[in-house]
Amino acid sequence: MCLFNELSLDTGNPVGYRDHRRTDAAEQSPGRGGASIDQGQGAMLGPMHTVSLPQRSRVELRRAACSDLLKLFEIHRAVFLPHIAQIWGWDERWQRGNFLEEMATASTWVVQADNEVAGYLQVQNQAERIYLRNIALLPTLQGRGVGTRLVGQLQAKAAERGMPIELSVFRINVAARRFYERLGFTRTQDEKTHIGMTWHSSEREQRRT
């Protein structure tokens, strides 16, 4: 069990007004103590191969543990705070609680570069789709093909199962939207703050031919 007090960071002051929202478009209640990580979804991705990158970085993927919470939340804050602060305002305490809820309801994988935690991947394996909740990478891994390879392996798993992959991105995060469009995702839903996107395995096959 990963308890709320394991994220006992310096809360500082909230930025702007408080609007209790998640990092994706779905509704969710604020975080509670005693949330657990990865409830029965660990087999969804299966083993992922080690990726050799330029600059001699060795990138691997492993299941998240309670001991990873602080570092993963620091990465979450670094990646998502600029967008969330601009849209709603950043409420540190609420974000910590919500982060635990996301850890409890999704399969969370740690991205390691040279044995150091450098990001995370969160997915939900649902009956008729795979929902890609979050990919967050430190700046040192961005733009080096890591995200592309992670999504590519997830697409391969989805193609094997004949499932689509769905996700949502902040409307203001144009770079993320273009990243997923380049990987074959199409825009399927427009909301005030988010854009819903979907990938189908047939699109993967068409791009190969």
Side-chain angles (χ1 to χ4, degrees):
M1 301 290 285
C2 300
L3 301 178
F4 183 82
N5 61 12
E6 293 187 54
L7 284 176
S8 55
L9 306 176
D10 179 9
T11 59
N13 296 317
V15 179
Y17 75 94
R18 299 183 181 184
D19 190 323
H20 291 172
R21 305 294 176 86
R22 315 170 26 149
T23 51
D24 58 34
E27 294 287 336
Q28 190 169 11
S29 300
R32 298 184 297 275
S36 60
I37 294 176
D38 299 335
Q39 298 182 359
Q41 300 185 54
M44 194 279 292
L45 283 175
M48 288 194 179
H49 301 293
T50 298
V51 181
S52 297
L53 295 176
Q55 301 177 14
R56 298 182 180 180
S57 294
R58 180 181 178 86
V59 177
E60 299 173 302
L61 208 59
R62 64 168 174 81
R63 291 285 300 276
C66 291
S67 59
D68 297 312
L69 280 174
L70 285 172
K71 183 62 176 179
L72 295 186
F73 183 74
E74 289 173 1
I75 295 171
H76 168 86
R77 186 200 287 118
V79 172
F80 294 113
L81 185 150
H83 304 297
I84 294 173
Q86 183 176 342
I87 298 170
W88 302 298
W90 180 269
D91 182 336
E92 178 81 5
R93 182 172 296 278
W94 186 89
Q95 286 293 331
R96 287 184 287 141
N98 185 67
F99 185 74
L100 278 179
E101 287 285 345
E102 292 187 340
M103 294 282 286
T105 57
S107 182
T108 302
W109 299 78
V110 174
V111 181
Q112 289 194 165
D114 297 330
N115 296 318
E116 297 291 332
V117 176
Y120 67 90
L121 168 71
Q122 284 183 325
V123 293
Q124 287 180 294
N125 188 25
Q126 301 177 348
E128 297 181 354
R129 68 173 187 170
I130 294 173
Y131 187 75
L132 176 54
R133 177 172 285 177
N134 283 318
I135 293 181
L137 297 174
L138 290 175
T140 53
L141 283 189
Q142 294 177 13
R144 297 173 60 187
V146 177
T148 297
R149 297 183 192 191
L150 292 175
V151 175
Q153 293 189 46
L154 191 61
Q155 288 173 322
K157 293 291 182 182
E160 289 174 3
R161 302 179 184 193
M163 289 182 173
I165 302 174
E166 297 181 5
L167 57 87
S168 66
V169 297
F170 290 122
R171 179 176 292 276
I172 63 175
N173 192 348
V174 177
R177 175 170 55 81
R178 289 176 177 170
F179 168 76
Y180 289 114
E181 287 174 344
R182 180 171 59 82
L183 296 179
F185 286 79
T186 57
R187 190 168 176 162
T188 54
Q189 188 175 9
D190 283 271
E191 299 186 7
K192 183 178 180 180
T193 58
H194 288 75
I195 294 172
M197 306 186 77
T198 303
W199 176 89
H200 296 279
S201 59
S202 59
E203 297 171 12
R204 180 183 178 91
E205 297 304 317
Q206 290 172 6
R207 288 189 294 120
R208 283 181 172 180
T209 58

